[in-house]
Amino acid sequence: MNQDQATYDAFSKAMEFWSKLWRQNYEQSLAFWAMMGQSVPRASARELAAEAESMKSKT
């Protein structure tokens, strides 16, 4: 039983590490694409508003 607990603890710590790493990568990717999206020119404010509304309905 003690060996099983040690294995579980090691696995748990490894999964926690990789989950945190994945989350940080995901958040940084979102921040990057948000910055890129702000720099893309739009023909009009109406076009930008329509795009924002379509994104809201997808989530």
Side-chain angles (χ1 to χ4, degrees):
M1 181 72 177
N2 194 13
Q3 181 67 24
D4 290 341
Q5 185 64 34
T7 301
Y8 175 77
D9 289 343
F11 180 76
S12 176
K13 288 179 182 178
M15 289 302 296
E16 182 179 355
F17 169 79
W18 288 111
S19 295
K20 285 181 180 180
L21 188 64
W22 178 82
R23 182 181 175 126
Q24 289 173 349
N25 187 4
Y26 181 72
E27 289 174 353
Q28 289 175 355
S29 294
L30 288 178
F32 170 78
W33 287 114
M35 288 186 338
M36 291 297 290
Q38 290 176 349
S39 66
V40 173
R42 301 292 192 288
S44 67
R46 178 177 291 162
E47 181 183 336
L48 180 59
E51 184 178 343
E53 286 300 319
S54 72
M55 294 301 287
K56 282 183 185 177
S57 65
K58 291 181 182 178
T59 59

